[in-house]
Amino acid sequence: MTQKPPPAHRAAPRRPGASAPRAARGEAAAQTGAPAARRPGRTDAPGVRRLNLSRVARAVHDEAEITRAAVAERLGLTRAAVSSLVEQLMAAGFVAESGKTFSGQAGRPGTALTMARTGHAGLGVSIDVDALTVCLVDLGGAERLRLTEQGRHAGAGPRAVLRDAALLTGRALRVAAREGLAPAGVDLALPGLVAEGVVRQAPNLGWNAVPAEDLFAEALRADGAALPVSSDNEANSAALAQLWSGAPGGARTFVYLSGDIGVGGAVVLDGDLLRGAHGFAGEIGHLVVDPNGPDCRCGSRGCLEQYAGQDALLRAGGLTAREGVAELARRAGGTEPPGAPETLRARQAIEQAGTMLGIALSGAVNLLDPETVILGGLYRELAHQLAPAAERELERRVVSGLWGAGSGRLRAASPAGDAARGAAGQVLRRILADPLAYAGAPSAP
């Protein structure tokens, strides 16, 4: 689940005879008493300007529309400094004037700034067991294009699946060009354990040690396109999309649960994604809720996924994949007599899934003390039906006593945030973190 850093920040291999790394040089200087060389970067004048360009870009992005004076007040910079920074961002195509004017500060009314609607953009690609989705967002975070292609990918060769994803991405790039948008990179949202561009394990796809970034980039080049490629776990991407789009209740510390063929999870603590020591945090779908339960594709037994994943839910409800979760929800909430076999079976399936979700979540809640649990994927559609059984278990098992029925702490995900949107947003965050990295060499301060 660890996102591979962009090439500009990756340490280069040390050449024979090359000088020691900067940290080692500083340590050697300290041992000999010689003064350490000054570290260049964000503490020198060009570095400070580079940092301030990022701060101004983020301020405009976060506020959607804001005047130069308001940016100066927010960041504690002089108006002259902000005007210079804004002019550089405008010249590079990151920021534009909206045409609106706002008063309220001392002096004449200011013209509002906004993020440019053309030029730099972010592209996200979600690879699921049963679908491929491409999402294009502009610098302001507005979704400009979404393409989805259905298909069962379990057991399919990774090269073929990633080729299909690259072809769909190529279609999106051609539309983007017509809209005047140029994605600065593409992020893959992948199921399973993802680290350094490799899918270490994705049981529901049957993938192991798949170099997904490299295979996707190769297929993209074969289709005539070349972009920097990064990757992350799909639940991480979706959780970040929830955070950036305004998580339910404004939560900044939450557990995100994603129901699909499998069950994914992610943890956000005070606005930061918890990745763990190796980037694999959040695999809640493989928490064991019954040690004597059915075998799981991950190699364990009784995992949450075997009770609350899509296949398990539909099987328990007597439905096929073609009929889907929407039909399960319809039967469970329908107007047929409560004792009707179809209604009863659908309700029992949801009851069992909700119970197992509650058992698994109670451990996460006791450990992490989140503000809320956000239910995404298929759980968003079933949230109000799953909640009663899940809340009963949470009330029984969470020691704080804050998670009982009616607490409102189990919430359906915002429709604005899914894995493809989060992946595109990760590209945008890299642009905003260092605009000059995407606009050529920095100018003189």
Side-chain angles (χ1 to χ4, degrees), residues 74-98:
R74 172 173 170 165
L75 300 182
L77 299 173
T78 66
R79 294 192 185 189
V82 167
S83 290
S84 173
L85 294 164
V86 166
E87 291 305 313
Q88 187 171 352
L89 289 170
M90 290 178 67
F94 294 103
V95 170
E97 292 182 326
S98 71

Side-chain angles (χ1 to χ4, degrees), residues 175-240:
V175 175
R178 293 196 293 270
E179 295 287 324
L181 292 165
V186 56
D187 246 54
L188 303 178
L190 299 158
L193 303 181
V194 182
E196 294 297 321
V198 176
V199 179
R200 303 293 179 89
Q201 184 184 45
N204 292 310
L205 285 175
W207 292 8
N208 289 285
V210 173
E213 284 183 19
D214 290 343
L215 292 176
F216 178 84
E218 177 186 314
L220 202 59
R221 287 193 297 271
D223 192 43
L227 283 174
V229 180
S230 296
S231 60
D232 205 343
N233 169 267
E234 57 86 21
N236 284 349
S237 297
L240 289 172

Side-chain angles (χ1 to χ4, degrees), residues 32-265:
T32 61
R38 182 185 173 198
R39 288 186 66 177
R42 295 184 184 251
T43 56
D44 57 21
V48 170
R49 183 173 183 86
R50 193 171 193 128
L51 175 62
N52 283 334
L53 283 166
S54 171
R55 295 175 68 207
V56 171
R58 285 176 178 272
V60 177
H61 175 273
D62 292 348
E63 295 297 326
E65 284 188 321
I66 188 171
T67 63
R68 290 168 175 80
V71 172
E73 182 177 356
R74 172 173 170 165
L75 300 182
L77 299 173
T78 66
R79 294 192 185 189
V82 167
S83 290
S84 173
L85 294 164
V86 166
E87 291 305 313
Q88 187 171 352
L89 289 170
M90 290 178 67
F94 294 103
V95 170
E97 292 182 326
S98 71
K100 297 181 183 178
T101 58
F102 292 92
S103 58
Q105 292 106 0
R108 64 184 181 182
T111 302
L113 303 168
T114 187
M115 300 306 291
R117 285 185 53 80
T118 57
H120 306 285
L123 198 61
V125 180
S126 175
I127 297 176
D128 301 313
V129 175
D130 56 0
L132 302 172
T133 303
V134 177
C135 177
L136 174 73
V137 297
D138 63 25
L139 278 175
E143 186 172 310
R144 302 289 291 274
L145 175 70
R146 176 174 290 262
L147 300 175
T148 299
E149 192 173 86
Q150 302 296 327
R152 191 76 173 186
H153 302 130
R159 188 177 293 274
V161 174
L162 291 162
R163 181 198 62 223
D164 289 345
L167 291 173
L168 193 63
T169 302
R171 285 173 51 195
L173 289 170
R174 289 186 281 276
V175 175
R178 293 196 293 270
E179 295 287 324
L181 292 165
V186 56
D187 246 54
L188 303 178
L190 299 158
L193 303 181
V194 182
E196 294 297 321
V198 176
V199 179
R200 303 293 179 89
Q201 184 184 45
N204 292 310
L205 285 175
W207 292 8
N208 289 285
V210 173
E213 284 183 19
D214 290 343
L215 292 176
F216 178 84
E218 177 186 314
L220 202 59
R221 287 193 297 271
D223 192 43
L227 283 174
V229 180
S230 296
S231 60
D232 205 343
N233 169 267
E234 57 86 21
N236 284 349
S237 297
L240 289 172
Q242 290 294 309
L243 177 70
W244 295 332
S245 64
R252 302 272 298 168
T253 295
F254 59 86
V255 174
Y256 176 80
L257 201 64
S258 175
D260 204 317
I261 303 299
V263 178

Side-chain angles (χ1 to χ4, degrees), residues 274-424:
L274 175 67
R275 294 188 176 275
H278 307 97
F280 301 148
E283 286 293 327
I284 196 169
H286 296 289
L287 287 181
V288 175
V289 291
D290 180 1
N292 298 314
D295 292 338
C296 182
R297 282 179 284 255
C298 74
S300 186
R301 296 186 64 181
C303 295
L304 174 63
E305 193 170 285
Q306 296 305 305
Y307 297 93
Q310 178 176 293
D311 287 351
L313 260 169
L314 294 177
R315 186 168 57 248
L319 294 165
T320 65
R322 184 180 296 274
E323 290 170 298
V325 171
E327 176 62 15
L328 180 71
R330 187 198 69 78
R331 291 186 184 185
T335 57
E336 292 86 353
E342 284 188 353
T343 300
L344 186 60
R345 189 168 182 182
R347 291 178 179 174
Q348 287 174 337
I350 292 175
E351 172 87 8
Q352 175 178 253
T355 296
M356 294 305 190
L357 283 173
I359 292 171
L361 287 172
S362 63
V365 169
N366 280 329
L367 184 64
L368 300 167
D369 187 28
E371 298 168 64
T372 188
V373 170
I374 298 175
L375 301 177
L378 67 88
Y379 298 143
R380 181 175 173 271
E381 190 173 353
L382 296 174
H384 74 283
Q385 293 171 308
L386 288 165
E391 286 176 342
R392 281 196 297 273
E393 294 301 323
L394 287 163
E395 187 168 25
R396 288 179 56 204
R397 300 170 185 274
V398 174
V399 296
S400 69
L402 300 176
W403 287 76
S407 67
R409 293 179 178 271
L410 280 181
R411 294 173 176 264
S414 162
D418 65 0
R421 183 73 173 266

